[in-house]
Amino acid sequence: MKIREKLNQLKTSLGLEPKPLPEVTKPVKKEEVVPPDIQADVDGIYRVPDVPTDEPEIITEPIDEIVPTESEKEDMQTEVDEGYLQYSSEVVGFENRELQWNAYRTVLSYIDSNDVLDFGCGRGDMYAFCKTEEPFNEQEFNYTGVDLNEQMVKLGQDIHEDINLIHDDWFQLSDQITAEWAVNAGSCNLRYDADTVTTDEDYTRNTIKTMYNHSTKGVILLLASSLIDIEDGLVNHNPGSLFNWAQQEFGNVALDHSVGDDVFCLIIYK
């Protein structure tokens, strides 16, 4: 007797009705659900169709160029000109800001006070240098500048509210205007005056005499040297000739050509 039949007899004798076992059938294979817009190809493989995309718009017509009006051009040019005049080193005779600052640093390194009269001050950039560069900014400078260029003087007054700039020919400067040191950082290297009779040498000598008369301690000039034969468009000065003249004229004079091959400093003490 098979084991299953024996189990059924035992359950019957115990009053337990055997329950029929569930009929085992083969699993039903589910059909694959396919979106209606996807169709099988000849090989029975379902492939996702290409999704159409919008083609980018291609502009074939030329875009109109934005052309400023004459008034706008004038306004833009005015802004450029004003910025150039206010901040460019070239406007005041220097190739770049580094050379300009080095010139001021050289001239001021000889003085022993903070009382300065700047001949050929332009916009008063030496004043800005003294306020920002160490060690000169460690003390308050009593600065006065004089220049023949009225536009430069007005620009300097606009830039620095507390600056003392004088628009005048330094040969006509009032005797009341003095300082301990009269300085000239390259202003004799270019001629801005309309005098076509006075030679460059005499112009420089007259300037030195004027500076001497407006100082109480001495005079310092940074001058372009004629010892270097270059075409730089500057008034170049013979250091030996100028030193000999100053020595005879004032007595206590020093000349320093170590500041550069193309420039030298003339220092006159009172």
Side-chain angles (χ1 to χ4, degrees):
M1 183 179 295
K2 296 181 179 180
I3 295 176
R4 183 181 295 277
E5 291 177 355
K6 288 183 177 182
L7 288 173
N8 290 336
Q9 290 178 359
L10 178 60
K11 290 179 180 180
T12 301
S13 62
L14 294 174
L16 298 173
E17 292 295 332
K19 295 182 179 180
L21 296 174
E23 184 179 358
V24 178
T25 60
K26 294 182 179 180
V28 178
K29 183 178 180 181
K30 296 181 180 179
E31 294 183 0
E32 185 176 2
V33 178
V34 180
D37 58 341
I38 300 178
Q39 303 296 327
D41 57 14
V42 294
D43 298 327
I45 300 175
Y46 292 95
R47 305 182 188 277
V48 179
D50 295 334
V51 178
T53 57
D54 296 333
E55 292 293 332
E57 183 181 358
I58 300 176
I59 301 175
T60 57
E61 298 180 358
I63 300 176
D64 294 336
E65 182 181 0
I66 300 176
V67 180
T69 64
E70 291 301 321
S71 176
E72 291 173 335
K73 288 181 180 179
E74 291 179 2
D75 291 341
M76 289 187 291
Q77 186 61 46
T78 299
E79 293 179 2
V80 171
D81 291 343
E82 289 180 351
Y84 180 76
L85 291 175
Q86 285 181 335
Y87 304 109
S88 171
S89 296
E90 294 179 345
V91 171
V92 289
F94 295 94
E95 185 176 344
N96 53 56
R97 183 72 70 192
E98 181 180 3
L99 293 177
Q100 182 184 9
W101 259 214
N102 285 340
Y104 297 157
R105 188 176 292 108
T106 298
V107 168
L108 295 175
S109 66
Y110 296 99
I111 70 174
D112 57 358
S113 74
N114 60 346
D115 189 27
V116 172
L117 176 57
D118 184 9
F119 278 70
C121 63
R123 300 169 302 213
D125 290 2
M126 184 180 289
Y127 178 71
F129 171 85
C130 293
K131 293 187 67 174
T132 58
E133 296 296 313
E134 296 181 351
F136 306 101
N137 61 353
E138 295 176 359
Q139 57 182 332
E140 188 70 25
F141 263 75
N142 181 24
Y143 175 90
T144 301
V146 56
D147 201 286
L148 184 62
N149 190 318
E150 183 178 8
Q151 185 179 22
M152 290 293 102
V153 170
K154 288 184 177 180
L155 284 171
Q157 292 170 340
D158 291 339
I159 297 171
H160 311 287
E161 295 181 356
D162 55 345
I163 198 169
N164 183 21
L165 299 181
I166 302 170
H167 167 233
D168 201 352
D169 181 347
W170 60 49
F171 295 121
Q172 306 299 324
L173 193 62
S174 169
D175 294 338
Q176 303 301 316
I177 299 173
T178 62
E180 292 182 355
W181 287 94
V183 301
N184 186 319
S187 293
C188 283
N189 298 334
L190 293 169
R191 290 280 299 271
Y192 298 102
D193 61 296
D195 186 352
T196 59
V197 177
T198 305
T199 65
D200 294 338
E201 184 178 31
D202 287 340
Y203 178 85
T204 299
R205 291 181 179 184
N206 292 338
T207 297
I208 295 174
K209 291 178 181 179
T210 301
M211 294 174 65
Y212 190 86
N213 293 334
H214 288 274
S215 67
T216 60
K217 283 192 172 183
V219 173
I220 302 172
L221 297 95
L222 181 68
L223 301 167
S225 176
S226 63
L227 298 184
I228 302 298
D229 187 16
I230 55 175
E231 294 293 334
D232 53 11
L234 300 177
V235 177
N236 294 291
H237 309 270
N238 186 301
S241 175
L242 189 60
F243 173 82
N244 291 334
W245 168 82
Q247 184 71 41
Q248 295 177 359
E249 188 76 22
F250 307 107
N252 197 3
V253 179
L255 188 144
D256 186 359
H257 213 307
S258 66
V259 298
D261 294 334
D262 55 346
V263 294
F264 65 93
C265 274
L266 181 70
I267 308 101
I268 303 173
Y269 301 94
K270 282 190 137 180

